Amino acid sequence: MEFYTYTLPNGIRGIHRQVRGTVAHCALVIGAGSRDERPDQYGLAHLTEHAFFKGTTRRRAWQVNCRLENLGGELNAFTTKEETTIHATTLRGDFAKAAELIADVAFRSTFPDRELDREKEVIADEINTYKDSPADMLYDTFEDMLFEGSELGHNILGRKAALMRYDGDAIRAFVNRTHTTDRMVFSSIGSFSPKAAEAAALRYFGGQAATTRGFERTAPAAVGAFEKTVTKHTHQTHCIIGNRTCGIDDARRLPLALLVNLLGGPSANSLLNVEVREKHGLSYNIEATCTPYGDCGLAAIYFSTEHAHEAQCIELIERQLHRLRTTPLTARQLSMAKKQFIAQLAISSESNESYMLSAGKSLLTHGEVDTMEQVYAKIRALTAAQLTEAAEEVFTGMSRLTYR
């Protein structure tokens, strides 16, 4: 059995994979992110993630930060639009210490205002750094426009002016509303038995009172296609072309993922990299990505180029998209695309930490986790017609945003 799953009495689910090695990884994946903020709370989910490290009823901030680091391990966290994840890496023998620390910061953080004031300045600097990256800003602005009017349509970091207004009470109210035990998964991987993982989870997480989310996320309303150019006085043109896609549970997501990987994935032989960079030398950075959410998603192509080459790049991209919409892949092309995708997934799964985080999110989102062999079998079963259908659906009527 690749994964062992369990559920604590308070509704927190757990998943463990036993592997050989001296290092253990674990994480608490919480189904709450920037999508769950109200309009007067933008940036609060991300601030909450930072505030977890600022002291608990048992530890001062420096004790939280030093607990695992003194043992050679690490504690960290990140926020997305739909999740907040607290994760740790330690030696195998220190796994219980990592689980206890994650539970402490997740359930007993005090969010002291003095510490929060200092951390707000850190996040303000993070926002400034983000503003210095046109590629990051472009993607977020595009997503804001694509999901306009929805909880998905705003930046995770929030705005500095709003950030400075939040205090410990605001964070506690947000946590009480969104960080409920029915939307939590404790994921672990390491050289110890599933029963040992479950026992640690029960000891450190099981005493938390059961809570249930009292609201549901709202699917974004439809938005028409758009084209917009923003003057940023950048040295290059930065452009993103994209469209909404299906959600994470939709059967169409897998053929789309394979299609996007073929079009502009990380390999040097992706269609766009070969056409735009290798053949014509027009762009150092061109890629295609697919980001699924619970009830919708986003497929996008990003490139940067000299201002004078923008139109030619777009023409070359549209040529590739037209071919994928109208001409099914040959048996050889499809076979090569599948082999490449499966190999990339296999290589990425060699990272136990990434595998652990992915398993936790999958259990939270789907209620189950496919083994890698099950995933490979689904990829091998895809047909050229499914990829053509996905291309026709997603690569038609696309929107475009450009920074120049």
Side-chain angles (χ1 to χ4, degrees):
M1 181 184 297
E2 189 167 0
F3 297 106
Y4 173 81
T5 60
Y6 55 91
T7 303
L8 302 181
N10 56 14
I12 297 176
R13 288 167 287 170
I15 183 167
H16 177 71
R17 185 180 185 219
Q18 185 172 359
V19 298
R20 293 181 179 179
T22 59
V23 176
H25 306 276
C26 59
L28 183 67
V29 185
I30 306 166
S34 63
R35 184 176 186 176
D36 303 303
E37 298 165 341
R38 292 169 172 154
D40 61 345
Q41 296 178 325
Y42 289 170
L44 193 52
H46 179 251
L47 175 62
T48 299
E49 172 224 314
H50 279 243
F52 278 139
F53 296 81
K54 298 306 158 187
T56 72
T57 56
R58 298 179 178 182
R59 293 178 170 94
R60 303 284 295 275
W62 65 269
Q63 292 173 314
V64 170
N65 290 325
C66 292
R67 173 61 169 161
L68 297 184
E69 277 73 5
N70 286 345
L71 302 172
E74 63 177 26
L75 176 72
N76 213 330
F78 60 88
T79 306
T80 69
K81 295 213 166 183
E82 295 190 325
E83 293 92 29
T84 299
T85 300
I86 310 167
H87 59 104
T89 298
T90 64
L91 293 178
R92 175 185 58 202
D94 295 323
F95 166 73
K97 295 182 178 68
E100 185 276 329
L101 182 60
I102 290 177
D104 192 31
V105 300
F107 300 122
R108 288 180 288 275
S109 284
T110 55
F111 311 122
D113 286 332
R114 179 180 298 180
E115 293 284 351
L116 290 179
D117 288 341
R118 283 196 288 264
E119 197 61 25
K120 289 175 188 177
E121 295 298 330
V122 172
I123 297 176
D125 187 62
E126 184 179 358
I127 292 172
N128 289 336
T129 301
Y130 156 81
K131 288 181 176 179
D132 282 338
S133 173
D136 290 340
M137 283 194 68
L138 177 74
Y139 193 98
D140 279 347
T141 303
F142 182 77
E143 197 166 33
D144 291 350
M145 296 171 68
L146 202 64
F147 296 113
E148 184 180 7
S150 123
E151 293 85 352
L152 284 170
H154 67 273
N155 183 300
I156 290 174
L157 297 179
R159 298 183 181 276
K160 286 187 282 186
L163 185 70
M164 297 304 168
R165 294 197 302 266
Y166 303 143
D167 57 13
D169 288 339
I171 294 175
R172 279 183 282 273
F174 179 77
V175 168
N176 290 337
R177 174 174 165 267
T178 62
H179 290 210
T180 51
T181 59
D182 65 326
R183 302 297 176 95
M184 294 182 180
V185 167
F186 182 64
S187 180
S188 58
I189 189 167
S191 184
F192 46 92
S193 71
K195 291 298 183 182
E198 183 176 4
L202 181 61
R203 178 178 180 182
Y204 298 118
F205 296 90
Q208 184 68 18
T211 50
T212 304
R213 175 163 296 181
F215 67 94
E216 295 294 332
R217 291 167 174 166
T218 303
V223 173
F226 56 85
E227 290 187 12
K228 184 176 181 179
T229 298
V230 180
T231 301
K232 289 286 186 178
H233 303 291
T234 52
H235 292 289
Q236 289 183 304
T237 290
H238 298 264
C239 183
I240 188 166
I241 306 169
N243 210 345
R244 284 196 194 178
T245 66
C246 56
I248 199 166
D249 280 327
D250 197 300
R252 295 170 295 174
R253 185 174 70 90
L254 191 57
L256 177 62
L258 177 57
L259 180 68
V260 168
N261 193 66
L262 171 68
L263 177 66
S267 295
N269 68 342
S270 72
L271 296 177
L272 292 180
N273 194 70
V274 170
E275 185 70 18
V276 178
R277 175 174 173 162
E278 299 301 327
K279 286 186 178 180
H280 292 87
L282 298 177
S283 176
Y284 172 74
N285 186 13
I286 183 166
E287 62 184 15
T289 57
C290 184
T291 307
Y293 296 116
D295 49 14
C296 60
L298 165 68
I301 299 163
Y302 163 80
F303 70 89
S304 58
T305 188
E306 295 294 325
H307 298 310
H309 296 155
E310 176 189 349
Q312 187 179 1
C313 285
I314 292 174
E315 180 184 353
L316 293 172
I317 291 169
E318 289 180 344
R319 187 184 303 168
Q320 291 297 325
L321 298 181
H322 176 76
R323 184 176 294 122
L324 290 172
R325 291 197 307 266
T326 58
T327 308
L329 298 180
T330 66
R332 182 174 181 274
Q333 289 171 329
L334 182 61
S335 176
M336 291 178 61
K338 290 177 180 179
K339 287 180 180 178
Q340 181 184 62
F341 195 32
I342 288 171
Q344 289 170 342
L345 293 174
I347 292 170
S348 67
S349 71
E350 288 293 305
S351 166
N352 283 336
E353 182 179 34
S354 297
Y355 203 15
M356 177 271 303
L357 293 171
S358 177
K361 179 176 178 178
S362 183
L363 184 63
L364 177 70
T365 304
H366 305 292
E368 60 182 5
V369 180
D370 287 338
T371 66
M372 295 308 296
E373 285 304 323
Q374 288 172 318
V375 174
Y376 302 157
K378 290 179 180 180
I379 294 171
R380 293 187 184 104
L382 294 176
T383 66
Q386 287 177 294
L387 269 66
T388 304
E389 289 171 7
E392 176 62 27
E393 180 179 355
V394 177
F395 298 152
T396 301
M398 301 180 79
S399 296
R400 184 164 79 235
L401 176 63
T402 306
Y403 282 177
R404 307 188 87 240

